[in-house]
Amino acid sequence: MRREQEFIDLLRVRLSALETDAQASVDSALAQWAGTAQARLERDVVVAEQSGLLAAFGSGEHGLCFGRLSFRDGADHHIGRIGIRRDDPERTPLVVDWRAEIARPFYLATGHRPMGLRRRRHITTERNRVTALHDEILDLDDAERTGHEGADADAVLLSALDAARTGRMHDIVQTIQADQDRIIRAPHRGVLVVEGGPGTGKTAVALHRAAYLLYAHRELLARRAVLIVGPNPAFLGYIGQVLPSLGETGVLLATPGELFPGVIATGADTPAAAAVKGGAAMADALAAALRERQSLPEPALVIPHEDGELVLDRETARAARDDARATRLPHNLARPHFAFAVIDALTEQLVDRIGADPFGGPNLLGPDDQALLGKAIATSPAVHAAIDELWPQLTPEGFLADYLAEPSYLPEADAAAIRRASRHPRAEAWTPADVPLLDEAAELLGQDDSARRAAEEARRQEEIAYAQGVLDLSYGSRSHEFADREDEDSEHLAAHDLIDAERLADRQEEIDHRSAAERAAGDRTWAFGHVIVDEAQELSPMAWRLLMRRCPTRSMTLVGDPAQTSEPGGCGSWSTALTPHLGGRWERVVLDVNYRTPAEIMDVAAGVPRVADPGFAPPRSVRSTGVRPWAEHAEDLPAAVAAAVRREPAGPGRLAVIAPAEQLDALAAALPGASSGPAPDLTNPVVLLAPAQAKGLEFDSVLVVEPAGFGASELYVALTRATQRLGVVHSRPLPQGLRLP
C-alpha cells in the first residue's frame, strides 16, 4: 500500500507538471499576435493540441492509475486511463494507457491463459489516495498463490456494482470483463451488432469502444469524427462524462431528433403517426410526391412578352421535364436543365415568329439577334414565374410541411394518421419521426449552391481588388533612394516584389479551426468515420436510411436489445433493420451477463416478456441483494408514491419514479423535490420519468407507477433500471406476467 501510494504521488506530480506545461503553451500561443493567416493557423493548431492535452490530463482526476501488471520476464507496468511518460530522454512510460496492446492481459489473462503475467493488481483509489489492493497470482505454480485470487477480482467488480449511483454513468476501465474487452477492441471496419439484455453493460462497452477506436485509429477518426446516437436527451446527459473521463472529447453525441442540422425535434407524434412516418414506404411516397411537383401545364401556359405572347404547351414542358429527369440529378440540381430547355424552346418560338421569311426562305435573324432574344427571355420575370410553377425550387422543410399537410401515395388509413398528427409548418413542431423524412427530402431535392458560389466568387474578387490596392500603395510608397540610378534595382524587397494580389487575398482567408465533431454537427452531408448507435432496435426504417447516409463506409457499432423495443416505428429485428442496407454483411455478438440488476428483481421482470415468449431467457444476474421487490395497491396514486419516496433509505443513491405519461403531472405536484421534464437532472436525488426516458439509465431504487398503463416492453425496461430496490404502486390490476408479493 505504501509503495503504491508513493507511486500515485509521483504520478500526480508528473501530471501536474504536464498540465502546467500545456497551459503555458496555450497562454503563450494566445498571447502572440497573429497577423497573417499562416500565423493564425499555427497559433490555433497549438491551442487546439494543448487544450486537448489539458482535457486528457483532467481525466486523471477520476483516477490516475487502477492496475499493475507484473510479467514473468520481469517487466512491470502500471495501467491508467491515459498514458503518461517520464521526463527523461527515453520518454519511458510511467503509466500505460488502458487501450494499449500491452494492457490487454489486465482484462483477458486467466490462470489457464496467463498471457505472460505473474501478477495482476487492482488498485482502488479515492481522490488519489490508495484505499485497497487486490492481487491475483496468475502463475499456477507461484509460491505466493493463495487460491483466492478469483474472489479478490470479483470483489473489485462487486464493489463497483454495489456503489451508489450519482446520476452520471462512470467508465468501467477498471472492471472491463473479457467478453466486453473483445468487443471493445474488435476491428472498426464493418457493422458489429452488440446485443444484450438489461444491465449487461452494452452501453458502457459501446462508449469504451469509441475511446478505443479513437486511440487505435486516431489519424482517421480525428479527421472524420465519431458519431454516437442515443435515444433521448436524458440518456445523452447520463453518458456525457464517460468519454471525457477517458481523455476523449472529439465525439459528437446526438439523439435521432438532432441529426438534421438546424432542426431540434420538440414535437410529439401519436404512436400511429410515428409508425407510418418511420415506415420504409415513406421513401417511395416522398419520391412520388416530389415527381408530382414537377408538373405539366393544363393545357398550356400563356406567358406575356413585349413581342407578343409566348405559349408553353404541355408537350414542350414534357420534353423539358424528360431532359431534366434524364440527368438523374436531385430535384433542385436538375431544375436549371429544365429551365434552360424551356428558355431554348421559347426562344426558338420567338425567333420563328419574328424572323420568319414570308417567302419561305431561311430565318432572317442572325445569330447575334437570336442570342439577344434568348437573353431577354432568360431574364424575363414572367418566364421565370412559369418555370417556378412547373418545377419549383424547394426546401426540405417546405416540401415536407406541404406533404404532411396532405400526404399522398399512402394507404388512406396511414395518410389519415399523419393528417391527425400534423402540426406544421411551424419549425418548433418537428417531431423525431420527421427528422429522417427531412433528411430524405434533402437527399431528393439536393442543394443548388450556385447562388452561394456566385456570392463567394464576388466576395473573393473584392478581396483580390482590395489586395491589389494594398500592393499598389506599397509600390507607390517604395523608397526613392535609388531614384537617380534608374539602371539599378533597390536592394530592399517590399510586399509588391514578393506576392501578387491573388495570393495575398488567399492568405487572408479565414480558416475553419473547429473540430471535426463541431463541423460535422452543422453539415448534413458529413461522412463519419464510425457511428455508434445505442438502443438501435428502436430506430425506424427511415432512421436507418439517414444513418447509412451518414456513414457510407458502413463502419458501425450497433447496441441494443430487441426484447426492449418500444417505439412505434422501431424495427426490433436486426435482420429487418440491416438487410435492406447490408445484406448479410454484419456480425452479431451477445452479452448475456447482467451486472446491474439483482437476481431478485430480474426474476420478477423476466415474467413480463415470458407472457409473449414462454422461452424467453433473461441475462444471468451476477449478484443477489436479498431484497425482494414489493407491490402496493392504492387508490390515491400520488399520495402513495410520495409516501413510498419518503420511506426510501437515506443515502447518496438515486431514486427514479417511472410512470405513464398521463400520470406525470399529478406525480410532479406530489413530489415537489423531484426533477422532471424533457431533460431531467439525473443527479437529483429523485427523478420523475416517462418509460421512454428511462431507457439506458440506472438508479439505486425504482418505483414503477401504474404498470397497467405501460406497454409490455416499456414495463420490462422500467422494471430493470434498479441496482438495489424495486417497488410497484398501482390502482389497477397488475399486468399478466408481473408477479409480486
Side-chain angles (χ1 to χ4, degrees):
M1 289 279 285
R2 185 182 70 255
R3 288 194 298 270
E4 295 295 359
Q5 184 62 61
E6 290 171 352
F7 177 81
I8 294 295
D9 294 341
L10 169 66
L11 189 58
R12 188 71 193 94
V13 170
R14 177 60 180 149
L15 185 67
S16 179
L18 291 171
E19 288 177 318
T20 300
D21 291 345
Q23 187 62 60
S25 297
V26 171
D27 294 341
S28 174
L30 292 175
Q32 293 177 5
W33 181 78
T36 67
Q38 180 66 26
R40 290 197 299 273
L41 174 61
E42 293 173 356
R43 178 199 64 192
D44 292 345
V45 166
V46 170
V47 171
E49 288 181 348
Q50 296 302 315
S51 296
L53 285 175
L54 281 171
F57 295 150
S59 69
E61 297 299 327
H62 300 280
L64 290 172
C65 175
F66 56 81
R68 184 173 182 174
L69 300 177
S70 299
F71 290 84
R72 284 183 291 187
D73 63 3
D76 194 280
H77 300 286
H78 281 86
I79 309 298
R81 284 173 173 76
I82 59 173
I84 299 176
R85 294 181 177 274
R86 296 178 184 273
D87 186 17
D88 58 26
E90 292 77 22
R91 306 285 292 168
T92 53
L94 194 59
V95 172
V96 174
D97 193 298
W98 67 276
R99 297 166 287 189
E101 189 63 23
I102 193 65
R104 289 207 76 179
F106 187 79
Y107 303 109
L108 298 182
T110 66
H112 296 286
R113 184 172 175 264
M115 301 177 71
L117 278 188
R118 174 183 173 269
R119 180 181 63 197
R120 172 170 52 204
R121 170 170 289 172
H122 297 264
I123 303 172
T124 303
T125 60
E126 181 177 345
R127 297 184 181 276
N128 297 317
R129 182 175 62 85
V130 177
T131 58
L133 301 178
H134 295 279
D135 280 0
E136 298 173 83
I137 305 299
L138 298 177
D139 186 343
L140 299 180
D141 298 324
D142 195 288
E144 292 186 29
R145 184 173 172 81
T146 66
H148 299 291
E149 283 76 16
D152 276 350
D154 290 343
V156 177
L157 174 62
L158 293 175
S159 175
L161 298 178
D162 286 331
R165 268 44 189 175
T166 65
R168 293 287 182 265
M169 177 181 278
H170 295 296
D171 64 68
I172 59 168
V173 290
Q174 190 170 354
T175 58
I176 292 173
Q177 302 300 291
D179 56 342
Q180 297 172 330
D181 184 79
R182 282 187 283 270
I183 295 170
I184 289 169
R185 298 174 192 261
H188 85 287
R189 294 292 185 186
V191 174
L192 178 65
V193 175
V194 183
E195 181 178 319
T200 53
K202 55 188 181 295
T203 296
V205 167
L207 294 172
H208 287 69
R209 177 161 168 74
Y212 171 75
L213 293 176
L214 285 164
Y215 173 86
H217 307 281
R218 176 76 62 190
E219 183 176 350
L220 169 65
L221 296 182
R223 186 173 66 252
R224 299 308 313 165
V226 173
L227 170 66
I228 297 181
V229 181
N232 53 59
F235 176 84
L236 295 185
Y238 177 62
I239 68 171
Q241 294 303 312
V242 174
L243 287 169
S245 76
L246 299 173
E248 298 295 347
T249 56
V251 175
L252 177 62
L253 277 69
T255 67
E258 298 170 338
L259 292 177
F260 190 84
V263 170
I264 298 178
T266 59
D269 273 313
T270 63
V276 174
K277 290 179 178 180
M282 284 299 300
D284 292 335
L286 290 175
L290 181 59
R291 289 176 69 87
E292 188 177 310
R293 298 293 294 271
Q294 300 163 0
S295 59
L296 299 176
E298 289 285 355
L301 287 177
V302 178
I303 304 171
H305 190 270
E306 60 184 9
D307 293 312
E309 293 178 338
L310 300 173
V311 178
L312 180 56
D313 59 35
R314 190 174 180 83
E315 289 308 311
T316 300
R318 187 191 305 278
R321 187 178 70 174
D322 290 345
D323 287 346
R325 287 179 174 177
T327 65
R328 306 183 70 85
L329 291 170
H331 173 88
N332 288 336
L333 301 184
R335 183 178 182 272
H337 295 269
F338 175 81
F340 289 140
V342 168
I343 290 169
D344 288 345
L346 294 177
T347 300
E348 184 178 349
Q349 183 182 133
L350 189 58
V351 167
D352 288 344
R353 179 193 303 166
I354 295 177
D357 185 347
F359 300 103
N363 195 285
L364 300 176
L365 296 179
D368 291 344
D369 296 325
Q370 294 182 25
L372 287 173
L373 290 177
K375 183 177 181 180
I377 289 177
T379 57
S380 167
V383 171
H384 281 280
I387 293 171
D388 288 340
E389 180 178 341
L390 301 179
W391 194 296
Q393 180 88 14
L394 299 172
T395 65
E397 294 87 346
F399 169 67
L400 185 61
D402 291 343
Y403 176 83
L404 294 177
E406 193 51 54
S408 55
Y409 300 99
L410 290 172
E412 179 51 36
D414 291 347
I418 291 179
R419 280 194 293 267
R420 284 193 295 270
S422 179
R423 295 174 174 84
H424 299 292
R426 287 197 331 115
E428 300 82 39
W430 294 119
T431 71
D434 292 333
V435 168
L437 303 185
L438 285 167
D439 197 74
E440 190 75 23
E443 197 72 10
L444 291 169
L445 293 173
Q447 182 176 351
D448 183 1
D449 61 351
S450 56
R452 177 186 59 80
R453 287 188 284 107
E456 289 180 352
E457 180 60 25
R459 178 181 56 80
R460 174 171 167 74
Q461 292 304 320
E462 290 178 1
E463 291 174 349
I464 292 175
Y466 179 80
Q468 186 62 57
V470 171
L471 294 178
D472 291 344
L473 182 62
S474 171
Y475 182 78
S477 303
R478 68 191 186 282
S479 172
H480 295 280
E481 178 182 356
F482 301 98
D484 58 343
R485 301 172 60 184
E486 296 180 359
D487 59 330
E488 296 187 37
D489 293 330
S490 170
E491 297 177 355
H492 298 276
L493 294 177
H496 58 268
D497 299 310
L498 302 173
I499 195 170
D500 59 23
E502 189 167 350
R503 292 178 61 194
L504 180 59
D506 287 342
R507 287 197 172 188
Q508 304 309 313
E509 284 286 331
E510 287 296 331
I511 302 172
D512 190 346
H513 300 303
R514 293 176 298 167
S515 69
E518 290 170 331
R519 284 181 282 130
D523 186 351
R524 191 194 70 82
T525 62
W526 188 272
F528 287 92
H530 194 82
V531 172
I532 294 175
V533 185
D534 206 314
E535 304 294 347
Q537 78 281 351
E538 303 288 10
L539 295 186
S540 68
M542 292 303 296
W544 281 115
R545 288 174 64 89
L546 180 155
L547 282 177
M548 292 298 169
R549 284 192 284 268
R550 295 294 191 274
C551 191
T553 61
R554 303 296 192 262
S555 177
M556 296 181 168
T557 303
L558 311 176
V559 180
D561 178 15
Q564 298 184 59
T565 306
S566 59
E567 290 297 320
C571 288
S573 161
W574 299 122
S575 179
T576 300
L578 301 179
T579 299
H581 308 283
L582 303 170
R585 300 183 303 277
W586 49 280
E587 180 185 356
R588 171 178 168 266
V589 295
V590 177
L591 295 171
D592 57 4
V593 177
N594 188 332
Y595 298 100
R596 175 206 304 145
T597 316
E600 294 86 353
I601 295 177
M602 202 65 214
D603 290 344
V604 170
V608 174
R610 283 201 183 105
V611 171
D613 179 10
F616 172 75
R620 173 177 53 86
S621 296
V622 299
R623 65 195 180 99
S624 174
T625 61
V627 180
R628 301 292 303 175
W630 55 268
E632 175 185 336
H633 182 274
E635 294 301 326
D636 186 346
L637 285 177
V641 170
V645 169
R646 289 193 294 270
R647 292 197 301 269
E648 270 295 302
R654 299 294 182 272
L655 165 66
V657 178
I658 307 176
E662 61 270 16
Q663 300 280 351
L664 294 181
D665 288 343
L667 291 172
L671 301 170
S675 178
S676 60
D681 179 6
L682 299 178
T683 64
N684 199 64
V686 181
V687 182
L688 181 59
L689 302 169
Q693 293 177 293
K695 296 189 73 67
L697 308 182
E698 60 182 32
F699 304 89
D700 300 86
S701 301
V702 170
L703 286 177
V704 176
V705 181
E706 200 65 286
F710 291 61
S713 58
E714 291 178 329
L715 181 55
Y716 180 56
V717 170
L719 294 171
T720 54
R721 299 304 96 193
T723 66
Q724 302 292 337
R725 297 171 294 279
L726 171 67
V728 175
V729 180
H730 62 103
S731 63
R732 296 157 56 187
L734 294 176
Q736 187 181 3
L738 183 56
R739 299 287 182 263
L740 285 163

